[in-house]
Amino acid sequence: MGGTKLTSDDAVRTATGRGFGEWGEVLDAWGARGQGHGQIVGRLVEEHRLGNWWAQTVTVEYERSRGLRPRNGGRDGLFTVNASRTIKASVDDVYKTVAEPAAREEWLDSDQLTIRTTQRNKSARFDWGDGTTRVNVGFVDKGTKTQIALAHERIVDEETANDLKAYWRDSLTKLKKQLESS
């Protein structure tokens, strides 16, 4: 259940003074297996003076290595998949093509999205299907380009998560091709 490491052991050692294995020993000695994710992160920040990003990285890898968290999953047993692209188009064009149902029909092979909330040119949040899972999309204006990052959350099993990861990668590639060819 270990999954892919977020970053290399050498990188974590350089940044924090310990490798993942050493952090595992420190956390086991403290009793981290019985603690929540936030408690472990808090301990690393408070007691070991790690920055929040490194504390999160070490905690997630610890949870994965101890079988407490599946790859792409949380300790609650639910999965999240991510996909992103940088598109040579204005943030306004990318946002509209995602947020407006008629525009989505051209690149998304599904009518499963129902808008929950939007913040123009910043984010769009959707229910997927019956609403048990959510799709959150963020947009970053990079001048003549736009970065789009998507997270599909609350997926109940790894097989569905893997299928949705491939689906979203393909869909964002279609979106990119569509916008860059117009």
Side-chain angles (χ1 to χ4, degrees):
M1 281 236 159
T4 304
K5 287 187 175 147
L6 296 173
T7 191
S8 75
D9 199 59
D10 289 339
V12 76
R13 184 181 316 285
T14 299
T16 69
R18 291 184 170 104
F20 284 121
E22 294 162 288
W23 280 117
E25 292 171 11
V26 167
L27 292 171
D28 282 340
W30 172 64
R33 283 180 192 249
Q35 304 297 320
H37 179 85
Q39 292 169 307
I40 299 170
V41 170
R43 173 110 179 158
L44 291 170
V45 169
E46 304 270 327
E47 298 291 321
H48 298 281
R49 303 289 183 235
L50 295 185
N52 189 59
W53 190 88
W54 282 107
Q56 291 284 345
T57 300
V58 168
T59 300
V60 168
E61 184 55 34
Y62 173 78
E63 291 169 335
R64 287 177 176 169
S65 72
R66 299 310 190 260
L68 302 171
R69 172 191 295 260
R71 186 174 59 84
N72 295 325
R75 288 183 75 172
D76 58 4
L78 298 176
F79 294 81
T80 298
V81 296
N82 300 287
S84 65
R85 294 287 180 272
T86 300
I87 301 171
K88 292 178 190 170
S90 73
V91 69
D92 194 55
D93 287 345
V94 176
Y95 172 83
K96 285 179 190 174
T97 308
V98 171
E100 295 175 5
R104 272 197 312 272
E105 290 176 9
E106 295 184 38
W107 64 273
L108 190 64
D109 298 330
S110 174
D111 61 355
Q112 299 264 353
L113 292 178
T114 304
I115 290 183
R116 294 178 56 81
T117 63
T118 63
Q119 186 177 8
R120 185 164 192 79
N121 297 343
K122 299 284 183 195
S123 66
R125 299 180 190 283
F126 303 90
D127 283 332
W128 177 261
D130 65 2
T132 56
T133 66
R134 302 252 169 86
V135 177
N136 301 313
V137 185
F139 307 89
V140 178
D141 186 348
K142 303 242 180 205
T144 60
K145 297 178 183 178
T146 300
Q147 181 182 8
I148 180 173
L150 178 145
H152 194 144
E153 303 173 333
R154 301 170 42 184
I155 303 163
V156 296
D157 63 74
E158 191 169 14
E159 182 179 348
T160 302
N162 290 335
D163 291 346
L164 285 168
K165 185 162 188 73
Y167 172 81
W168 285 117
R169 283 181 174 169
D170 291 346
S171 295
L172 291 185
T173 297
K174 287 180 193 174
L175 173 64
K176 178 180 173 79
K177 287 178 183 175
Q178 176 187 324
L179 286 170
E180 290 183 352
S181 68
S182 43

